[in-house]
Amino acid sequence: MSTTTSAPATSGASALRKSLGGNLRQYGIIGALLVIVLLFQVLTDGKLLLPNNMASLVQQSAYVMILAIGMVIVIVAGHIDLSVGSVVAFVGGVAALLMKNMDMPWLVAVLLALLLGAVVGAWQGFWVAYVGIPAFIVTLAGMLIFRGLAIVLVGVTVSGFPQPFVDISNGSLPNFLGYLANRDLVTLLLGALAIAAIVFSQVRARRTLIKHELTAESLGAMVAKLVVFSALIGALAWVLAGSRGGTPVVLIIVGFLIIAYSFVMGRTVFGRHVYAIGGNLHAAILSGVNTRRVNFWIFVNMGVLAGVAAIVTTSRAGAATAAAGQNFELDAIAACFIGGTAVTGGIGRVSGAIVGALIMGVLNMGLSIMSVDPAWQQAIKGLVLLLAVAFDLVNKRRGSR
């Protein structure tokens, strides 16, 4: 009896997964984000999706998205990085001192901060890749070292930065095209360009898969997906166009990083080696992958992105403090796992980590609008993380049967 009822259900799920090109998990994560957005839109009496709140959501969540992009690469390779929050405080403090105490131009200070982030990443990558110390231990030590250095450097709050530096996180793109129905035309144009780029890339990717006789989602599924994604991007652009300043500058930075790292992980030898190391380390070594070099550059990259997050965080706050970046590593790791990155490594996408970061951001914004106590906010986010990982493990077990 049970056989006759479960078989059609299993075959139906398999057919759905096949028609979606094996991306069922990714669509499930996006669906979860939409459900959470709609839930808080109702619970906050429509305040969540107000234009200025959406702009604030982007600006407040930028650091999580930037760190999650690097963290997903680290986790896919089978490592973890617990030091990124402390590195944010340390690098942000150095950038602040360069501008305030040494009167250095803000752009030079930003470039030196990114270089410092790369040096920090190289330091940690050396111990992980060439000495063989587990990343958990190395980055735990890094968390203590760089937090301590941040306390030494910026024991007193440093503020009063040049306006262009503050505008990195708090400013918006200049509106040189005027308005349409009281909406910022620059933002609407960027939304249209984003839709066109997604349609072009998806059609091109599907044609490439079919050309090489690989599994591709059905034409109907692709059209439905593009319609849904275009509607979501169009709606986001419309709402942001009604905000006080239009498109936040930091959204352009995050968008560039998403495109660049999606390409790196999906289309380059480095990306394939990262997945190979995380999927099966011994097989990767036997295949000739230089695992030490790949692991080293993974942590250099994480250091650079922590430097970017430091600039964004210091700019957003308008000040550098030793307490900056507290729990940032937990937010980034949670975003990756909520976004479908496998705990065991080998599986994960930049796009999934970004959706996970947005889920964390919507939870923060929605709970803050509802005036929920910060302690309860932490508890709720922890519960969401636990449920996301449990959902991932249950799906894996079902898939292995």
Side-chain angles (χ1 to χ4, degrees):
M1 184 68 179
S2 60
T3 303
T4 55
T5 53
S6 61
T10 303
S11 62
S14 300
L16 179 60
R17 188 176 289 108
K18 184 178 179 181
S19 68
L20 294 175
N23 294 324
L24 191 58
R25 179 189 295 181
Q26 292 294 318
Y27 297 140
I29 296 168
I30 295 172
L33 172 62
L34 294 178
V35 169
I36 292 173
V37 169
L38 292 176
L39 175 64
F40 278 108
Q41 178 70 356
V42 173
L43 293 177
T44 59
D45 296 326
K47 295 177 182 175
L48 178 67
L49 295 181
L50 289 176
N52 288 336
N53 283 343
M54 289 301 294
S56 296
L57 173 64
V58 171
Q59 291 168 329
Q60 290 176 10
S61 304
Y63 79 89
V64 186
M65 291 188 274
I66 293 168
L67 292 176
I69 290 172
M71 191 66 74
V72 73
I73 300 174
V74 172
I75 295 176
V76 165
H79 304 296
I80 199 74
D81 191 337
L82 302 177
S83 68
V84 291
S86 298
V87 176
V88 165
F90 172 59
V91 175
V94 171
L97 292 175
L98 289 175
M99 286 184 286
K100 288 297 295 181
N101 292 3
M102 301 182 69
D103 293 326
M104 195 169 285
W106 69 272
L107 188 56
V108 176
V110 167
L111 294 176
L112 289 177
L114 298 181
L115 179 61
L116 179 60
V119 172
V120 169
W123 162 263
Q124 302 197 122
F126 168 77
W127 293 105
V128 174
Y130 293 105
V131 181
I133 300 176
F136 177 84
I137 303 298
V138 171
T139 57
L140 180 61
M143 181 174 69
L144 299 173
I145 292 170
F146 297 113
R147 181 63 65 187
L149 291 176
I151 293 172
V152 170
L153 288 174
V154 284
V156 179
T157 301
V158 180
S159 61
F161 305 131
Q163 190 59 40
F165 180 81
V166 176
D167 285 343
I168 292 175
S169 281
N170 298 292
S172 302
L173 291 184
N175 179 6
F176 54 89
L177 294 178
Y179 294 89
L180 175 66
N182 290 326
R183 302 281 165 170
D184 179 53
L185 257 180
V186 172
T187 304
L188 296 179
L189 178 61
L190 288 174
L193 290 174
I195 292 172
I198 286 181
V199 171
F200 175 76
S201 66
Q202 290 295 310
V203 170
R204 189 168 178 267
R206 186 174 183 276
R207 291 179 63 181
T208 303
L209 289 173
I210 293 175
K211 179 181 177 182
H212 292 90
E213 299 181 349
L214 298 173
T215 302
E217 59 190 352
S218 66
L219 180 61
M222 188 191 74
V223 172
K225 180 180 72 175
L226 290 177
V227 169
V228 172
F229 282 7
S230 299
L232 291 176
I233 294 173
L236 175 62
W238 182 259
V239 173
L240 278 179
S243 65
R244 191 178 299 112
T247 304
V249 173
V250 75
L251 179 60
I252 303 301
I253 297 173
V254 173
F256 171 78
L257 292 175
I258 293 172
I259 294 172
Y261 279 91
S262 294
F263 178 82
V264 168
M265 291 300 287
R267 302 291 180 85
T268 67
V269 174
F270 178 78
R272 288 193 289 273
H273 285 178
V274 171
Y275 282 108
I277 291 174
N280 190 323
L281 177 61
H282 297 294
I285 294 174
L286 291 173
S287 301
V289 176
N290 189 336
T291 56
R292 288 183 174 181
R293 186 170 64 187
V294 174
N295 282 329
F296 176 78
W297 284 108
I298 285 171
F299 281 92
V300 172
N301 176 69
M302 186 71 253
V304 173
L305 288 175
V308 177
I311 297 300
V312 168
T313 302
T314 307
S315 168
R316 175 71 177 164
T321 67
Q326 291 279 3
N327 295 330
F328 278 17
E329 60 278 350
L330 302 182
D331 288 340
I333 293 169
C336 293
F337 289 144
I338 291 173
T341 304
V343 180
T344 52
I347 298 174
R349 290 185 179 184
V350 171
S351 58
I354 295 300
V355 175
L358 289 174
I359 289 176
M360 297 284 291
V362 171
L363 283 173
N364 283 330
M365 175 73 73
L367 293 171
S368 297
I369 293 174
M370 294 171 64
S371 301
V372 175
D373 187 275
W376 281 109
Q377 292 187 28
Q378 291 287 336
I380 292 171
K381 287 193 291 185
L383 185 61
V384 170
L385 172 61
L386 181 63
L387 291 176
V389 175
F391 180 75
D392 177 59
L393 291 176
V394 169
N395 271 344
K396 274 186 179 175
R397 288 171 184 167
R398 285 181 176 176
S400 62
R401 290 176 184 170

